[in-house]
Amino acid sequence: MYDGLLMTVTVEWRVNMRVLALCIGLFFVSAVHSGQVVVRKSSEPFDAFALRNQVLKDHQWQEMLRMQQQIQILQALPIGCVAIPRPYRHFSCGDFYYRPYTYPTTGSSANEVFIQIDPPLHE
């Protein structure tokens, strides 16, 4: 009678310990992913608004870099591109399409770059 009771208590204890270990593990994982924590002394001067503005500026910079990486800009087209005049001047290079853009440089000359575009709708 006591052997069965002891075995049941032992199994329940092991299950409870596993659940406790799982909960502790989840706690530490969530603590790791909580983000950056900065601890300052109360005697140090601190400007929360300046910190907020800096974080916003950093976030905007990251977004600008991400957007810049998505734009494909070429200084010269690959070999074998076909010029297509309609609905506007663009080039077909295999599965990719590029539209020329001219930008002024110092001096009298202008440079041309090619920016990747979605396939144009032909009318």
Side-chain angles (χ1 to χ4, degrees):
M1 177 172 166
Y2 290 113
D3 290 335
L5 181 63
L6 183 62
M7 185 169 223
T8 303
V9 170
T10 305
V11 170
E12 286 180 13
W13 183 77
R14 286 184 184 165
V15 170
N16 288 340
M17 290 305 289
R18 287 182 183 164
V19 170
L20 180 63
L22 179 67
C23 290
I24 290 172
L26 289 175
F27 172 75
F28 284 118
V29 168
S30 66
V32 168
H33 292 289
S34 64
Q36 182 179 3
V37 177
V38 178
V39 178
R40 299 183 181 272
K41 293 180 182 178
S42 61
S43 61
E44 293 179 6
F46 175 68
D47 186 5
F49 297 108
L51 180 63
R52 179 201 61 192
N53 293 342
Q54 183 62 39
V55 168
L56 287 175
K57 215 183 280 186
D58 291 345
H59 179 69
Q60 288 173 345
W61 177 252
Q62 292 296 329
E63 285 295 311
M64 286 174 51
L65 286 177
R66 185 180 63 79
M67 289 174 59
Q68 183 180 9
Q69 289 172 354
Q70 290 177 353
I71 297 175
Q72 182 75 314
I73 300 175
L74 301 178
Q75 290 183 345
L77 290 172
I79 296 174
C81 292
V82 178
I84 303 172
R86 295 183 187 228
Y88 48 82
R89 183 174 163 239
H90 65 282
F91 296 89
S92 172
C93 304
D95 292 335
F96 301 106
Y97 294 88
Y98 296 94
R99 187 168 181 181
Y101 287 93
T102 304
Y103 66 95
T105 59
T106 56
S108 61
S109 65
N111 287 343
E112 193 171 53
V113 294
F114 303 91
I115 298 180
Q116 185 175 346
I117 59 172
D118 292 331
L121 300 174
H122 295 287
E123 297 177 0

